[in-house]
Amino acid sequence: MTVERILSDKGRAVVTVEPDRTLAEAARLLTEKRIGAVVVSDKSRPVIGILSERDIVRGIASHGAQILEEPVSRCMTTKVVTCVGHTGVLEVLELMTNGKFRHVPVVEDHQLVGIVSIGDIVKYRLAQAEAETRAMRDYIATA
Ligand code: AMP
C-alpha cells in the first residue's frame, strides 16, 4: 500500500508558513489547525524546511520565550526528508522511526502534493488490522 492511498482518503491540503513569519505566528497556526508541524515554503520554493512543535519548544528552552518573536527560519529543520505518492506506507514508517520525526511531506515534480503524519499511518494500520481480523473471523465461521 502506498502513500497515495492515504492522501486519497485524507486529502492533499498542506498547511504552510513563510520563513520570515514569526514563531509566535507559526505556533498559533499549529494550534488553530490542530496539527504538529508546518511545511516552510514560499512562492518559488515548495519545501524550504519543516517546523514542528518540538522545534518551538526546543527554541524556548534554549533561548527563552522571546524567541517567539524571531522568524520561523531560526528554528526550522532544513534537511527535510520527503517521499512521493508511490512510496510504500511501511517505508515511510521506517523513515519516521529512523529519523525520529512524525511528519513526511509528499513532493512530486517539485510541487508539495500532501503530507503524511504518524497519526495517518497508525489510523491506516489499525483499519488494515481490523479488516484482516474480520476476514479471518468470516473465514473461520464459514469453514
Ligand atoms: P516531529 O516529530 O515531526 O514533530 O519532528 C521532530 C523533529 O524532526 C523536528 O526538529 C522537526 O523539524 C524534524 N522533522 C519533522 N519532520 C521532518 C522530516 N520529514 N524531515 C526532516 N526532519 C523532520
Side-chain angles (χ1 to χ4, degrees):
M1 198 58 69
T2 66
V3 161
E4 180 53 39
R5 169 71 189 277
I6 292 181
L7 293 186
S8 65
D9 281 349
K10 77 165 231 182
R12 290 157 211 280
V14 185
V15 179
T16 62
V17 68
E18 289 175 349
D20 55 354
R21 295 294 173 149
T22 65
L23 289 162
E25 285 177 292
R28 277 195 290 275
L29 195 57
L30 293 174
T31 305
E32 271 164 27
K33 304 285 184 185
R34 308 176 84 174
I35 53 175
V38 277
V39 173
V40 184
S41 59
D42 64 18
K43 285 188 192 86
S44 54
R45 294 168 296 171
V47 185
I48 303 169
I50 191 160
L51 181 84
S52 109
E53 52 203 0
R54 283 200 188 163
D55 298 313
I56 300 176
V57 169
R58 272 192 216 124
I60 294 171
S62 309
H63 306 284
Q66 65 270 24
I67 199 163
L68 291 172
E69 296 317 312
E70 299 277 330
V72 159
S73 55
R74 175 98 194 260
C75 286
M76 69 186 185
T77 299
T78 51
K79 276 195 181 151
V80 183
V81 176
T82 62
C83 68
V84 293
H86 67 255
T87 308
V89 171
L90 290 180
E91 197 182 322
V92 175
L93 192 55
E94 204 176 322
L95 289 174
M96 289 175 169
T97 308
N98 293 340
K100 294 191 169 56
F101 47 71
R102 297 165 292 182
H103 302 87
V104 175
V106 189
V107 176
E108 274 176 3
D109 296 326
H110 306 288
Q111 300 292 319
L112 184 59
V113 297
I115 189 163
V116 185
S117 75
I118 196 138
D120 299 328
I121 294 185
V122 169
K123 191 174 155 195
Y124 155 82
R125 297 282 293 162
L126 280 177
Q128 197 181 36
E130 275 165 20
E132 278 168 14
T133 306
R134 244 191 332 268
M136 292 277 248
R137 285 217 182 100
D138 291 350
Y139 175 75
I140 292 163
T142 55

